[in-house]
Amino acid sequence: MTLRALVKDHGLVSSSQAWISSGSCDLRPVPDNQEVFCHPVTDQSLIVELLEMQAHVRGEAAARYHFEDVGRVQGARTVHVLSVQPLCLENLSLRGCCQDAWFLSGKQQVAKENQQVAKDVTLHQALLRLPQYQTDLLLTFNQPPRSHGPENLSCPPWSLGNFEQLVTSLTLHDPNIFGPQ
């Protein structure tokens, strides 16, 4: 079963944020360990990924590792970390299975698929490390430059506050999402 089915159809990972239950994107093929949600009007997106835990990197280095890996996979021309901060486990709904958590903000210069012109995209990532499942749960909030003013939007853009609330309220309903334990 794909992560898309698990997230959308079975509600195994959920949040108090309505935007995670909004429509998903079909801009590109999505691997089974990933789900992508797109804002209905802006170019913003949210990516939820279940990744094999990268035990060879710890702490802040793990957050940087995943950020740089996303840049490599997307063919980013430049990758620049702006800040990395630990998340307080007490504030996370997933605190019972999360060993540590990190919040990273950065910029990557990337071109959309099949386009030549690269744009600076602000990325905010939350890395939740779940050692009992040998999983790094990575949430990425993409904020590309605005192509139109907020007055033209029928639906307001997502905010960093929305993303932070999503990260803290994320819950796990069924650990089978991680495979047999």
Side-chain angles (χ1 to χ4, degrees):
M1 186 173 296
T2 66
L3 182 58
R4 170 178 283 192
L6 291 170
V7 170
K8 292 189 72 185
D9 301 336
H10 300 286
L12 298 181
V13 177
S14 65
S15 165
S16 64
Q17 288 292 299
W19 58 311
I20 195 168
S21 63
S22 67
S24 58
C25 302
D26 291 319
L27 299 177
R28 60 175 170 78
V30 177
D32 286 348
N33 69 318
Q34 185 182 92
E35 180 56 283
V36 180
F37 300 91
C38 292
H39 189 279
V41 179
T42 71
D43 288 333
Q44 294 175 308
S45 64
L46 169 70
I47 302 169
V48 180
E49 295 179 89
L50 300 178
L51 303 169
E52 181 178 338
M53 179 170 268
Q54 300 299 311
H56 66 283
V57 288
R58 299 187 190 280
E60 180 178 323
R64 289 178 181 274
Y65 172 87
H66 285 293
F67 180 74
E68 291 167 2
D69 188 55
V70 165
R72 182 187 57 75
V73 169
Q74 292 184 351
R77 295 179 185 162
T78 62
V79 174
H80 179 69
V81 174
L82 300 172
S83 67
V84 183
Q85 301 173 349
L87 291 173
C88 179
L89 295 180
E90 294 174 7
N91 295 337
L92 300 177
S93 294
L94 284 174
R95 65 185 157 272
C97 58
C98 187
Q99 179 184 46
D100 65 337
W102 295 87
F103 189 85
L104 181 147
S105 290
K107 290 190 180 287
Q108 296 184 357
Q109 191 176 64
V110 294
K112 281 187 176 182
E113 200 168 317
N114 300 323
Q115 292 185 5
Q116 296 297 319
V117 177
K119 295 181 180 179
D120 284 329
V121 176
T122 301
L123 297 168
H124 303 287
Q125 288 186 325
L127 173 63
L128 307 178
R129 308 209 75 192
L130 312 173
Q132 73 193 69
Y133 304 113
Q134 292 298 302
T135 299
D136 282 340
L137 173 58
L138 184 67
L139 296 101
T140 303
F141 173 36
N142 294 297
Q143 286 190 295
R146 286 196 180 148
S147 56
H148 36 46
E151 67 281 352
N152 299 334
L153 299 179
S154 58
C155 180
W158 295 331
S159 69
L160 182 56
N162 294 138
F163 181 64
E164 290 169 344
Q165 187 176 7
L166 169 93
V167 170
T168 58
S169 65
L170 203 62
T171 59
L172 174 65
H173 294 238
D174 185 349
N176 289 324
I177 192 173
F178 302 108
Q181 300 302 313

